[in-house]
Amino acid sequence: EICDKIQGKEVMLVHANKAIAKGTEITWSYIPPSNPLNERREALSKYGFTCNCLRCVQEEKTLTASPLTTLGDHLPGNEASMRDMIQTIEQNLACNEIRVSYAQLYLEYFNTALAQSDIDKINDILKLATRLHFSFVACNNACTEHLSILHMCYDLAGVLHTHSLQHKSEGAMTQVRFWTEQLKKTVMTRYGNLGENLENVRALMKHSKLVLRRKDGWYSVNDKFI
């Protein structure tokens, strides 16, 4: 995917999220990119075609030759099971396309695990979320799911910074600066000139933060300008 679309009530803006060479096909996803391959293809079947974009083809080849074919498309219901499933992904096939396909699993795990304010768990989650962030950069940069991950990383870096001040340790401020820049950069990539206005940025960031911490969050908000 090399383009993002921002859709309002009557207007759709489309802009590139990276440099496009002359003659390159311009695409965007019909459906959320953070669903497993089988689920995406089932959703696309109503349009009468099987997607053979670079990502889908590569993902199909990778899954065919991997233990991940046994994972299935349904998310487990508790933290331990989600953690085990993620460990299977990370240990057996930690590639960008697979992480993004199971991003909803990662998000559900983060939400469940963060119900407990354990500083060691926060550190572990931030490390895992960092891998997911760079996977989105590689294959679905600046999508709304990606922004949601960045909001979480920014918030967690702030928690670690507060903890470091209380315990007179160092290094957390570097993470705050890093995630601040990653979030700003991604917002500008997604929204282009809209991101130059501070009030617009605040509104857009508030919107994306509300949307994607949970499955189908997009359908529960009034403004659909993602």
Side-chain angles (χ1 to χ4, degrees), residues 106-121:
Y106 284 73
L107 283 167
E108 293 290 343
Y109 170 67
F110 295 155
N111 285 333
T112 304
L114 288 171
Q116 308 167 28
S117 55
D118 183 309
I119 202 68
D120 291 330
K121 185 169 286 188

Side-chain angles (χ1 to χ4, degrees), residues 160-173:
L160 293 177
H161 177 55
T162 300
H163 182 269
S164 70
L165 291 176
Q166 293 171 345
H167 294 79
K168 298 182 180 180
S169 55
E170 299 179 355
M173 191 60 201

Side-chain angles (χ1 to χ4, degrees), residues 32 44 73 77 101 103 148 177 191 203:
L44 289 172
D73 297 333
S101 286
S148 180
R177 293 192 186 102
Y191 295 108

Side-chain angles (χ1 to χ4, degrees), residues 74-105:
H74 299 291
L75 300 184
N78 60 71
E79 181 183 342
S81 297
M82 287 188 281
R83 183 179 62 248
D84 291 344
M85 192 170 176
I86 288 172
Q87 286 179 347
T88 300
I89 293 171
E90 293 295 328
Q91 291 172 3
N92 290 283
L93 195 60
C95 74
N96 294 322
E97 292 84 3
I98 300 301
R99 280 201 190 100
V100 171
S101 286
Y102 285 90
Q104 194 60 52
L105 166 66

Side-chain angles (χ1 to χ4, degrees), residues 35-176:
N35 296 334
L37 177 64
N38 289 341
E39 188 175 321
R40 298 199 309 273
R41 285 192 163 166
E42 182 180 354
L44 289 172
S45 63
K46 66 182 181 182
Y47 296 105
F49 72 95
T50 298
C51 182
N52 288 308
C53 72
L54 181 62
R55 177 187 163 187
C56 286
V57 170
Q58 179 59 43
E59 197 172 329
E60 185 174 35
K61 290 179 180 178
T62 305
L63 283 170
T64 300
S66 80
L68 292 185
T69 53
T70 62
L71 281 177
D73 297 333
H74 299 291
L75 300 184
N78 60 71
E79 181 183 342
S81 297
M82 287 188 281
R83 183 179 62 248
D84 291 344
M85 192 170 176
I86 288 172
Q87 286 179 347
T88 300
I89 293 171
E90 293 295 328
Q91 291 172 3
N92 290 283
L93 195 60
C95 74
N96 294 322
E97 292 84 3
I98 300 301
R99 280 201 190 100
V100 171
S101 286
Y102 285 90
Q104 194 60 52
L105 166 66
Y106 284 73
L107 283 167
E108 293 290 343
Y109 170 67
F110 295 155
N111 285 333
T112 304
L114 288 171
Q116 308 167 28
S117 55
D118 183 309
I119 202 68
D120 291 330
K121 185 169 286 188
I122 289 174
N123 271 303
D124 291 342
I125 288 173
L126 191 55
K127 290 176 184 177
L128 190 58
T130 301
R131 298 175 197 164
L132 188 57
H133 159 56
F134 284 112
S135 292
F136 271 111
V137 170
C139 62
N140 280 92
N141 189 33
C143 66
T144 318
E145 291 86 346
H146 187 195
L147 280 174
S148 180
I149 294 294
L150 288 172
H151 282 297
M152 185 193 72
C153 291
Y154 175 80
D155 289 345
L156 293 184
V159 171
L160 293 177
H161 177 55
T162 300
H163 182 269
S164 70
L165 291 176
Q166 293 171 345
H167 294 79
K168 298 182 180 180
S169 55
E170 299 179 355
M173 191 60 201
T174 302
Q175 290 198 61
V176 172

